[in-house]
Amino acid sequence: MASSHDADTEGITRRKALSALGGAGALALAGCTQSSGDGGGDGLSGSINIAGSSTVFPLMSAIAEDFAADHDQVSIDISPTGSGGGFSNYFCVGDTDFNNASRPIQPAEEERCAENGVEYVELIAATDALTIVVNPEADWIDHLTVEELATIWEEDAVETWDEVRDEFPNEEINRFGAADTSGTYDYFIEAILEERGHTSDYQATEQDNSIAQGVSGSEYAIGYFGFAYYYQNPDQLKALGIDAGDGPVEPSLETASSGEYTPLSRPLFTYPSIESLGKEHVAEFARYFVEQTTNEDLVAGDVGYVPATEETQEEQMEILEDAIERAQE
Amino acid sequence: MATDNANAGGFGEVSRLRGVVFEYLSLGASVAGLVALGVLLVYVTIDAFDLANASPEWLLTYFLTLVVPFLAFCLYSANDPTVTRRALGALGGGLVAVAALFTAIEAFVAQIPRLSWQLAYLFVVATPVTAYLAYVGSRGRVGAVGFGLMGRLVGGAALGLAVGTLFLVFDPLVWFLAYTLGVVPAVALYAYGARRSAPRAVAAAIPVGLVGVVVAVVLRGVVTTYPSDLIIYAWTLAVPIAIAGWRVVADRGSRAAAVAAGGVPLAVAVAGGFLAGGFGVPGPTALIVLVTVGVPTAVYVHRAIDEGDGVVGLALPVLLVGGALVGALVVEAWGVPAPDPWLDAGYVTESPSSTAIEAGLYPAIVGSVIIIALVAVLSFVLGVGTSVFLEEYMPESGVLGSLTRLLQVNIANLAAIPSVVYGLLGLGLFANLLGFGLGTAVTASLTLSLLILPITIISAQEAIRSVPDDLRRGSDAMGATRWQTTKNVVLPEAFPGILTGTILALGRAIGETAPLLMIGAATTVFSAPDSLFSRFSAMPMQIYAWANFPQAEFRYGVVAAGVITLLIILIGMNGTAILLRNRAERGN
C-alpha cells in the first residue's frame, strides 16, 4: 500500500493505482453478491455442550461425530470430566446441555441441580461390564469371588495377596482404580463394597490408560475400569472372572447383556437438561442419540459396550419425547 | 580448561584433573538432555509417519530422488572441496558404522523396538548431515537464493492459511466495510498528503480511518447485500498485497517488471480462487494463499534475477517438487510398499473421529491458531506497554522508585505461579464474573495472555534496558521529547529483543493445557469455532484426550501425528520470530 515513501516521480503511477483500486472495487461491488445472515443447511444450528463420564465419552463422541457430519451448522463439544465432576461443576450450574454418567445421579447432585433450577431427564445409553484386570503374567489367578474382591478394595483392605486367598503368593497388592469424581468409582462401591467404603491406598485416576499401564507394569497389580478398554486391548491385560455365587463369569458383551455377569454389569446414562431440549437442535440430537443406542456396529463394534435392546430404546424414546414436549411448551 | 597456575611460589604443579572432570561432566549434562529429546522426537516422528512400516526400498527411492539432489544442491552452493569430502565421508562412513553398530546391538544386546538400521541411519546420520549441509549451503549465494525462495513459498502459504483461519471467527463482512470505508480513505489521504506535502491531509488520515471503521460497524447491521466472499478477499487482501509487491519492484526501477510482479500473482490468485471450488478447496482460502505465496515469490524472483547472482538457486523448489514427484512415480510404478502416514492431508482438514484412520485435528488446530493470534496481540500490547512504562517513565529513586522495585519483584514472582492458578483466575474472572463464558476462545486467550504476561514484560524490559543510554541522551540533546525518544530510538532498538521474548512466551502458551482444563475448554469439538464466543478445543487438549483412547492406534499413531503438528506450528512461529528479529537487527 502507499507508504510514507516519498518520490515525486511516482506521482502518476500512484494516481493510476488509486483509480485502478477504485475501479476494481466498483467492479467487485457490481459482481457477484451475497446477502448476510443466510443460514443454509437443514435449518438446525447452534451448539451442544457435553461433559461427564469418561466411560461414556467414547460412545457419546462416536454418536456426536456422526450427527455433526450430517448437520454442519451444529457444533458439538465433549469433555470427559468424570460423572460427578460433570454434574457438580458444569451440568447443575447450567453450563452444559448433556451430562454423561456411568451411574445414576446422586442425591447431593439432585439437590445442587434443583438449587439452580436445572431440570433433567435420565436416558440409558448402553450397558457396560465393569472389568477387573490383572497382569497377563499373573497365571496364579483367574477369578475372584465378590467377597474376595471386597477384601481387596474395602476401606480397611488387606495388604498382601495371600490374605485374599491362601494359595495366592505372599506379595503386596498394587491397586489401580478410578478417581472419586468418577462414576465408575461410585458404581464399584455400590456394587461390591457397599458400606465397607473404598480403600484410599490405591493409584486413583480418571484415565483408563493410566490404569492399564500401571497394571501391566507389575505382576501383583489389580485394577478396574469400563469394558471398552479391555475390549480394545485384550492382549495387554487379563480380565478376571467374577463369582457371585454361581461360579466365575468372565466379562464379555454376551455375559453383560444376558445379565450373567453380576454384579458388575451396569447401565450407562446420559442426562439432557430439559431447558436445553427446548432447542430444536438439542432435541434432535437427543433423539438421534437414543436411536443409535441399538446400533450394534457402533456401540459394540467401535466402542465396546452392550447396545440397548429395542424395548429399552422404545421406552427411552417415550421418556425423551415427553421431556421434549414439556420443554417446548 | 584447567588453569596453569604459575605464581610467585615457582612453577608448582596444579592438578588438571578437576578441570577435565568438570569439562566432561558439563558435556555429559548437555548431551544427556539433548539425546533424550532426540530419542523422543525420533519415535514420535516414526509413529506419526508410520516409518516403522516403510520398506527399505521406499526409503532408498526417496533418498535418491529427494535427499541426494538436495545435498548435491547444497554442495554445489557451498562450492568447497573440503565440505564435499567431509559430507561424503560422513554419509558413507556413517552408513557402515550405523549398520554395523545396529546389527551388533540387535545381535548381542537387545532388539531395538520399531527401528531398523535404515531408519537409524536416516535419523542419526542423514538428518544431521543434511542440516549441516543446508547450513553450509545457505551461506553460498546460490543456496541463499534457493532457501530464500523456499522460505517465501512456505512462509507465504503459512501466512495465507493463518489469515484464512482468522476469517473463520472474524466476520469478513465487517472487515469488508471497515476496509472500504476506513482503511482505503485513510491510506489515500495519507498518500495524498505525503506527496503534496499537505500535513493537514496526513493528520486527517487517522481520524478519517477511525470514523470509517465506526461507520462500518454501524452499517453492518443495516446493509444486507454484500459481494461474495471471494470478491471481498480479492479486494481487501489480494489487491493491496499485489500493490505492495508492485511498489517494492517499482522502487528498484523497473516498471514492466513491477506490473508483472504485482499483476501476475493477482491474476493467478483470482483465477485460482474461482477454480478452486471445483477441486473441493474453498475459493477464498485458495485466493489468499495464492496471493501470499505468489507476490513475495514474484518480488523475490525479480530481485534475484535483477542482482544476477546465484540465479541457479531459484531452481531449488523445482528440484524438490520434481524429486518428490519422481519418487512417487517410482514407488507407484514398481509397487514399492509405502508407509501409510497418520499425519496426512486428511488429518489436518478433518474433524475428530472415533476411528483412528478418520481422526483429524482440524477444529483443534483452528482453535489453537485463533487463541494464539489473540494472545499474541494482547500480550504484546500489554507487555510492551508495561515494560516501557516501567523502564522509561517510572523514576528509579525516591518513593516512586521503591514502588517500581516492588512492582518489579511482584512481576518476577508472577512468572513463577503455576499455570493452574491462572486457570482458576480465568475461570473466576473472565468466565464467570465478566461473563465471557465457560471454555470460549475469548476466555482462553485472556487467561493465557495473563499467564505469559510476566515473561513478556521481563524479556521486553531486558531488551529496553540493553539499549545504550548514550542513544537516549543523544536524542534528548537533539531536543527530542521523551515520547519521541521512546518512539524513534528506544523501541526500534529494542524491537528484536522484545520480539524474541514474546515469541518464546507464545510457544509456552500454545502448549498449555492446565489453564484450559480449568476454564472448561472442551477436549473434543467437531467443527471449527465460528466466533470468539464459541467453545473451542486446542491441540494439546485433543492430544490429551486421544492419549486415553482405548484403541492402540490412537495412543501411538494419532497422538504422535498431533504432537508433530503442534511442533511444526511452534517451529513455524519461532522461525517467523527469528526472521523478523534478524531483519530488524539488520535494519538497525
Side-chain angles (χ1 to χ4, degrees), chain A residues 28 33-34 36 65 78 207 209 233, chain B residues 224 226 353-354 523-524 547 550:
Chain A
T33 55
Q34 60 175 332
S36 63
E65 173 196 340
I78 312 177
Q207 309 296 353
N209 192 23
N233 304 274
Chain B
T224 52
Y226 292 88
S353 167
S354 55
T523 48
T524 301

Side-chain angles (χ1 to χ4, degrees), chain A residues 1-15 17-18 21-22 24-25 27-29 31-37 49-50 57-58 60-62 64-65 68 72 74-80 89-90 95-96 207-210 213 228-229 232-233 236 302-303, chain B residues 173 176 179 183-184 187-188 190-191 194-197 220 223-229 231-232 235 239-240 243-244 246-247 250-251 255 274 352-355 358 432 438 517-528 534-535 544-545 547-552 555-556:
Chain A
M1 282 167 287
S3 69
S4 61
H5 185 89
D6 197 33
D8 270 15
T9 51
E10 279 175 0
I12 302 160
T13 48
R14 192 180 280 130
R15 192 183 297 151
L18 287 174
L21 255 167
L27 270 178
L29 282 167
C32 358
T33 55
Q34 60 175 332
S35 53
S36 63
N49 306 333
I50 305 169
F57 176 76
M60 188 53 114
S61 73
E65 173 196 340
D72 58 357
V74 179
S75 72
I76 306 178
D77 63 77
I78 312 177
S79 303
N89 295 338
Y90 301 107
D95 281 331
T96 48
Q207 309 296 353
D208 292 350
N209 192 23
S210 317
Q213 295 289 340
Y229 195 96
Q232 304 281 358
N233 304 274
Q236 193 188 346
D302 292 350
V303 185
Chain B
L173 304 182
F176 165 71
Y179 177 82
V183 177
V184 171
V187 169
Y190 187 86
R195 196 163 62 85
R196 292 283 163 85
S197 321
R220 172 69 181 90
V223 179
T224 52
T225 308
Y226 292 88
S228 72
D229 276 351
I231 290 171
I232 292 182
W235 156 239
V239 169
I243 290 179
W246 163 70
R247 279 195 54 93
D251 280 353
R255 287 207 176 168
F274 276 110
S353 167
S354 55
T355 45
E358 287 164 24
N432 292 338
L438 200 71
L517 282 173
M518 292 308 302
I519 61 159
T523 48
T524 301
V525 295
F526 295 96
S527 48
S534 59
R535 288 168 60 100
Y544 178 65
N548 290 300
F549 266 45
Q551 296 93 330
R555 280 178 279 130
Y556 296 99

Side-chain angles (χ1 to χ4, degrees), chain B residues 55 65-66 76 108 142 164 210 242 264 321 363 370 373 384-385 425 456 467 487 489 502 542 573 575:
Chain B
S55 59
T65 60
L66 198 59
Y76 172 75
F108 299 115
V142 174
L210 287 178
V264 172
V321 173
I370 284 162
V384 174
L425 174 72
T456 33
V467 175
K487 187 185 78 157
V489 178
T502 311
Q542 183 63 61
M573 279 169 47

Side-chain angles (χ1 to χ4, degrees), chain A residues 289-301:
Chain A
F289 181 85
V290 173
E291 275 168 30
Q292 290 297 314
T293 53
T294 49
N295 184 337
E296 190 110 4
D297 286 343
L298 187 139
V299 182

Side-chain angles (χ1 to χ4, degrees), chain B residues 234 238-239 242 259-275 287 290-291 294-295:
Chain B
V239 169
V259 172
V264 172
L266 182 63
V268 169
V270 171
F274 276 110
L275 294 179
L287 175 104
L290 284 174
V291 154
V295 172

Side-chain angles (χ1 to χ4, degrees), chain B residues 328-418:
Chain B
L329 209 67
V330 170
V331 165
E332 189 71 27
W334 282 334
V336 177
D340 182 18
W342 292 104
L343 180 53
D344 53 12
Y347 186 78
V348 291
T349 53
E350 297 287 330
S351 297
S353 167
S354 55
T355 45
I357 300 290
E358 287 164 24
L361 196 60
Y362 175 68
I365 296 176
V366 173
S368 275
V369 168
I370 284 162
I371 290 170
I372 226 57
L374 276 182
V375 170
V377 173
L378 285 170
S379 64
F380 192 79
V381 171
L382 295 177
V384 174
T386 314
S387 52
V388 166
F389 183 74
L390 284 177
E391 285 301 312
E392 298 293 316
Y393 289 91
M394 285 290 268
E396 280 167 25
S397 53
V399 182
L400 279 177
S402 32
L403 190 66
T404 315
R405 279 193 294 281
L406 187 71
L407 267 178
Q408 200 71 57
V409 169
N410 277 314
I411 290 170
N413 282 337
L414 279 178
I417 287 183

